């Protein structure tokens, strides 16, 4: 009888882990004049996973995650890393808050970008109560963009997409091997 309850709780725990959604919140700010992009990523809106800022250097991007630690991302390596398994493809956008402070020079493109973003959010099934766009017009050559996004995913969808990714990789390797053996 004790083994039955233990197995029941193990199965129940696995089902909860696989199907309960995991929420990620991203806060970011871009300042064109300072040429910096700052960000933080939270798990369930209060557990900080990663934070810092991104700046450019002559060969690529520098991701500063602490005062003494920076990760260098050369431009040439970005194309190769893009082809790997994407964690973000499995996420669903839940809510979006976008605030833009701009001068007259960028007003028209920013207005179009706000409209396109709102349309995209509605097309993927977002609710109008979950999106907020703010556009502030200021004097001078200023462009500051702040946004907050909430994404959700569950481990079942992540696992299914990872299996599809592995299946496609195995198919490509299999075709390469067949092609190599026939030539």
């Amino acid at each position: 009888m004790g083994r039955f309850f233990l197995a029941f709780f193990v199965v129940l725990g696995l089902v909860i882990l696989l199907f309960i959604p995991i929420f990620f919140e991203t806060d970011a700010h871009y300042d064109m004049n300072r040429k910096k992009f700052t960000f933080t990523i939270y798990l369930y809106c209060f557990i900080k996973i990663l934070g810092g800022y991104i700046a450019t250097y002559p060969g690529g991007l520098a991701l500063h995650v602490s005062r003494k630690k920076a990760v260098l991302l050369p431009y040439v390596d970005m194309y190769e890393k893009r082809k790997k398994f994407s964690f973000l493809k499995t996420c669903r956008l839940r809510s979006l808050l976008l605030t833009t402070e701009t001068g007259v020079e960028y007003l028209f493109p920013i207005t179009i970008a706000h409209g396109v973003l709102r349309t995209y959010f509605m097309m993927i099934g977002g609710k109008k109560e979950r999106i907020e766009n703010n556009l502030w017009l200021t004097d001078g050559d200023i462009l500051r963009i702040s946004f907050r996004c909430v994404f959700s995913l569950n481990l079942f969808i992540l696992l299914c997409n990872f299996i599809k990714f592995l299946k496609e990789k195995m198919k490509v390797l299999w075709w390469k091997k067949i092609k190599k053996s026939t030539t």
Side-chain angles (χ1 to χ4, degrees), residues 15-16 19 23 25 27 29 49 75 88 91-92 99 102 116 125 132 138 144 153 163 174 178 180 183:
V15 168
I16 288 174
F19 295 106
F23 290 96
E25 179 179 317
D27 296 322
H29 178 75
I49 297 175
Y75 291 132
L88 293 177
C91 294
R92 293 190 60 210
T99 303
T102 183
V116 167
E132 183 179 338
T138 60
R144 294 184 187 126
L153 63 91
I163 290 171
W174 183 65
I178 286 177
K180 191 184 236 185
T183 59

Side-chain angles (χ1 to χ4, degrees), residues 46-165:
F46 64 90
I47 301 171
K48 185 177 178 182
I49 297 175
L50 184 66
Y53 69 93
I54 299 173
T56 59
Y57 73 94
L61 298 175
L63 175 67
H64 298 268
V65 291
S66 71
R67 291 194 183 275
K68 295 183 179 183
K69 185 176 180 183
V71 178
L72 300 178
L73 302 169
Y75 291 132
V76 293
D77 292 344
M78 285 185 196
Y79 182 73
E80 294 172 9
K81 290 182 181 181
R82 182 186 63 85
K83 294 179 182 178
K84 294 184 179 177
F85 177 71
S86 177
F87 179 73
L88 293 177
K89 287 182 183 177
T90 61
C91 294
R92 293 190 60 210
L93 184 60
R94 294 291 184 178
S95 69
L96 179 68
L97 169 71
L98 177 67
T99 303
T100 307
E101 181 180 357
T102 183
V104 177
E105 298 86 15
Y106 306 108
L107 181 62
F108 185 65
I110 292 296
T111 305
I112 292 173
H114 275 254
V116 167
L117 188 63
R118 182 173 281 276
T119 304
Y120 173 73
F121 184 76
M122 294 301 193
M123 284 175 48
I124 63 170
K127 297 179 181 177
K128 67 178 181 177
E129 298 88 22
R130 299 236 177 221
I131 186 168
E132 183 179 338
N133 292 29
N134 300 314
L135 181 60
W136 299 344
L137 185 61
T138 60
D139 188 26
D141 186 24
I142 295 174
L143 179 61
R144 294 184 187 126
I145 301 170
S146 299
F147 67 91
R148 172 177 286 165
C149 300
V150 177
F151 294 97
S152 70
L153 63 91
N154 63 27
L155 293 178
F156 178 75
I157 294 173
L158 188 65
L159 186 63
C160 287
N161 286 344
F162 184 69
I163 290 171
K164 287 178 189 175
F165 171 76

